[in-house]
Amino acid sequence: MNKPTRAGPIGLCSGLLLLCVALFFGAPSAWAADCKFVLGFATLKAMIDEAEGPEKVGQCLENEHFNPEKGAALQRTTGGLLVWRKADNRTAFTDGYRTWVNGPYGLQVRLNTEYFDWEVPAALQLEVLKNAEYLSEWPTAGKAKLTDGMFFEPYEPGSASGTYLFLSEQVAYGDLNSDGAADAVVILDASGGGSGTFRYLAAVVNEAGQPRHVASALLGDRVRIESLTIQAGRIVVGLIGHGPGDGACCPTHEQTLAFQLAGDTLEEVPLTLRQLKNAEYQSEFPTGGKARLTDGTFFEPYEPGSASGVRLTLSEHVAFGDLNDDGVDDAAVVLIADPGGSGTFRHVAAVVNEAGQPRHAASAFLGDRVKIESLAVQDGKIVVQLIGHGPDDPLCCPSQKVRRAFQLVGSTLEEVPSIVDVLWQWERFEDTRGPAWDVTVADPQKYTLRLLPDGTFQVKADCNVGNGTYTLAGSSITLMVGPVTRAACPPESHSNTFLTRLGEVVTYVLHEGKLSLNLKIDGGNMVFTSAEPDS
């Protein structure tokens, strides 16, 4: 697959993390005239030059050299670090925030906190997991060494009846124990020869390059696994389980379960989708001002027996994260209210985790017939991407992309000022070397940046204008400068410096109306002020 998966940094800096940090922060400012790029590094640099421009990798600071302790060849550049990985014979480049890899699908780019499926460590490949040892209550020894995904222990010597263990083909990768390395989660089936097949979730950690099964959780008898992922350290399982009237053979009830590794135990995450779908929510629409959902819905007829009434529905958008700074993950959901007319009113709702039970703490109105694109909890804030109404849009047909952020303050969801859709003017550059190297922009109106809700941005750099794309994730931001006009600006212009530094931004801070874009490797801060003070 060529789509990166969220996880701890592996591949490029797995086992090289401290080395990478030391190299980045200790890199000299001048490039070495006698060094050069050769072989795979030369090929990778040419590919990145074509895709990103020659300044991305930059000039070499040293010749390529092999580090036997790390099992990798390294070469520092003015833009970052080139690495040849002996483990998979791949070349890669990192600027400290993103990684470019010459992989099986050509040049691919990902965040340093992501990895591609084909970058999974050899110790966790499916074939290795199929022949690993697993803890289990079913074998007499309390553990079983699989062979090609199977284990059999007869009840009597020579008997065809006994205990069977099978490893399914479903596997997911991600960091389960916060050590920065990818771990794995698999499904282990156990059968004693009867009609039952008991399905277990098994967490396998990467311990010094070896797989070690540390914990399991029973999912049920003859449940059907629909999906298996690791999201932000949590194992999320989508399955078809047993509803109240289902026979053991034939489950029909859709479920989403979440687990987290706590020592040698897999604990179900306290706030589950099941709980949220059956929680009580405050709402102005029911007569009592609140509604208890049942499997995600609530209906109150206007008259007894009437088909008309107020309907509340929990949408499919759910996000988890700490909203009240107590160290425990809460939840954000979208509640849809339909009073029976043409309007459907969407609210974002903050649900806090109180002793493992959900409590709806606050809501904020998002709009009538708006379309929710995504919901996330980032740095304690609820972030909603939606399609809202532009000035000329009828209620039926919103067309304007909007990004809104909210913060839980007591019993209120307060909207947080956004850096998106604001015209920012560059007023100064703060150099980390000290005030003597700071730059004050004489005319900030000549250097502007506007992030648009659709993920693109518009930029003005003195006598040139252009655009590009950006990504936002919490306080992290990446700006990819696209086509820019190439007019010759006056000699004193900061045009080239402005555009180059935008491409080096990795995080941002919004404080008292000022936007600070922070450059990689502690490279300084670009400080902007809003040209629209009332925005």
Side-chain angles (χ1 to χ4, degrees):
M1 293 178 64
N2 61 5
K3 182 179 179 182
T5 303
R6 289 277 174 189
I10 69 166
L12 178 61
C13 286
S14 178
L16 296 174
L17 185 58
L18 295 178
L19 178 63
C20 289
V21 172
L23 286 170
F24 290 150
F25 284 85
S29 58
W31 58 278
D34 58 346
C35 65
K36 58 183 179 180
F37 298 106
V38 298
L39 302 175
F41 284 176
T43 300
L44 179 59
K45 174 172 165 51
M47 297 169 75
I48 298 174
D49 285 354
E50 182 178 354
E52 307 283 356
E55 297 304 316
K56 177 53 65 179
V57 176
Q59 303 286 345
C60 60
L61 295 172
E62 61 185 0
N63 281 316
E64 175 183 344
H65 60 282
F66 186 73
N67 185 312
E69 181 180 345
K70 303 299 180 184
L74 310 171
Q75 186 174 19
R76 290 179 297 170
T77 76
T78 55
L81 180 70
L82 287 160
V83 178
W84 170 74
R85 309 183 304 206
K86 183 179 179 180
D88 61 1
N89 195 29
R90 298 292 178 186
T91 53
F93 169 77
T94 180
D95 62 5
Y97 179 64
R98 290 180 298 163
T99 295
W100 288 256
V101 188
N102 187 3
Y105 304 98
L107 183 66
Q108 294 177 266
V109 61
R110 57 169 172 75
L111 297 178
N112 282 2
T113 52
E114 298 176 335
Y115 67 92
F116 297 104
D117 285 354
W118 51 265
E119 292 183 288
V120 172
L124 297 179
Q125 296 287 348
L126 183 58
E127 288 307 309
V128 177
L129 296 173
K130 282 184 173 181
N131 293 277
E133 184 176 83
Y134 293 85
L135 306 170
S136 173
E137 62 186 303
W138 290 78
T140 53
K143 57 185 178 181
K145 180 76 162 61
L146 303 191
T147 300
D148 197 24
M150 189 180 77
F151 169 87
F152 173 68
E153 180 182 71
Y155 292 136
E156 300 288 342
S159 172
S161 299
T163 295
Y164 289 86
L165 297 181
F166 301 91
L167 195 74
S168 84
E169 294 290 324
Q170 289 164 303
V171 59
Y173 299 99
D175 187 4
L176 295 175
N177 53 3
S178 302
D179 65 352
D183 305 304
V185 60
V186 296
I187 303 296
L188 195 63
D189 295 340
S191 173
S195 58
T197 300
F198 300 88
R199 316 206 72 183
Y200 292 82
L201 188 66
V204 182
V205 299
N206 181 355
E207 198 168 83
Q210 297 296 321
R212 184 171 73 88
H213 176 212
V214 292
S216 294
L218 177 63
L219 298 175
D221 174 16
R222 283 167 281 183
V223 297
R224 297 202 306 269
I225 310 300
E226 298 286 299
S227 63
L228 180 65
T229 59
I230 297 176
Q231 303 175 13
R234 285 198 181 118
I235 303 167
V236 181
V237 188
L239 56 83
I240 307 297
H242 294 88
D246 292 344
C249 68
C250 311
T252 63
H253 187 59
E254 291 187 5
Q255 295 176 265
T256 300
L257 305 178
F259 298 84
Q260 57 192 8
L261 184 62
D264 59 356
T265 305
L266 273 180
E267 298 178 348
E268 192 167 355
V269 175
L271 288 188
T272 65
L273 186 59
R274 184 190 316 165
Q275 288 177 300
L276 296 171
K277 282 185 172 182
N278 294 277
E280 183 176 84
Y281 294 85
Q282 305 162 44
S283 173
E284 61 189 289
F285 288 90
T287 52
K290 58 185 179 181
R292 167 73 65 178
L293 303 190
T294 300
D295 200 22
T297 63
F298 167 87
F299 178 70
E300 180 182 74
Y302 289 133
E303 300 288 342
S306 173
S308 299
V310 171
R311 186 178 300 276
L312 299 182
T313 306
L314 199 71
S315 85
E316 71 275 15
H317 294 95
V318 179
F320 296 96
D322 188 4
L323 297 176
N324 53 2
D325 201 27
D326 64 354
V328 178
D329 277 357
D330 307 299
V333 299
V334 174
L335 202 60
I336 305 170
D338 181 359
S342 57
T344 51
F345 305 93
R346 283 165 171 77
H347 294 75
V348 61
V351 182
V352 298
N353 181 347
E354 289 191 345
Q357 297 300 315
R359 181 178 67 82
H360 179 207
S363 293
F365 181 54
L366 298 175
D368 175 14
R369 283 166 278 186
V370 297
K371 300 175 183 176
I372 310 299
E373 292 202 317
S374 67
L375 179 69
V377 176
Q378 300 174 356
D379 294 337
K381 301 177 181 65
I382 301 173
V383 180
V384 188
Q385 298 272 9
L386 58 85
I387 307 294
H389 294 89
D392 301 320
D393 290 345
L395 284 173
C396 69
C397 311
S399 65
Q400 184 174 359
K401 288 198 172 187
V402 179
R403 181 182 188 273
R404 298 178 67 182
F406 301 88
Q407 188 165 17
L408 183 61
V409 180
S411 60
T412 306
L413 269 184
E414 295 184 358
E415 190 148 9
V416 178
S418 175
I419 67 172
V420 177
D421 216 12
V422 177
L423 183 63
W424 297 104
Q425 297 178 344
W426 186 36
E427 62 177 27
R428 69 181 185 276
F429 177 74
E430 297 175 344
D431 198 301
T432 52
R433 292 175 293 179
W437 286 270
D438 290 354
V439 175
T440 299
V441 180
D443 190 354
Q445 297 182 42
K446 290 184 178 180
Y447 303 90
T448 63
L449 174 70
R450 184 188 290 273
L451 307 177
L452 301 175
D454 63 358
T456 64
F457 67 82
Q458 299 168 346
V459 64
K460 178 181 178 183
D462 199 349
C463 64
N464 288 299
V465 294
N467 55 49
T469 60
Y470 71 91
T471 58
L472 274 178
S475 59
S476 297
I477 181 171
T478 304
L479 298 164
M480 302 286 289
V481 179
V484 179
T485 59
R486 298 185 176 272
C489 299
E492 67 276 10
S493 173
H494 301 296
S495 177
N496 291 338
T497 301
F498 179 63
L499 293 171
T500 298
R501 285 175 174 163
L502 285 179
E504 297 172 348
V505 170
V506 293
T507 59
Y508 77 91
V509 175
L510 183 62
H511 181 64
E512 295 182 351
K514 301 285 187 181
L515 172 64
S516 292
L517 298 181
N518 310 315
L519 274 56
K520 64 182 180 182
I521 319 176
D522 204 19
N525 308 308
M526 302 176 74
V527 181
F528 293 76
T529 188
S530 172
E532 304 154 350
D534 294 331
S535 61

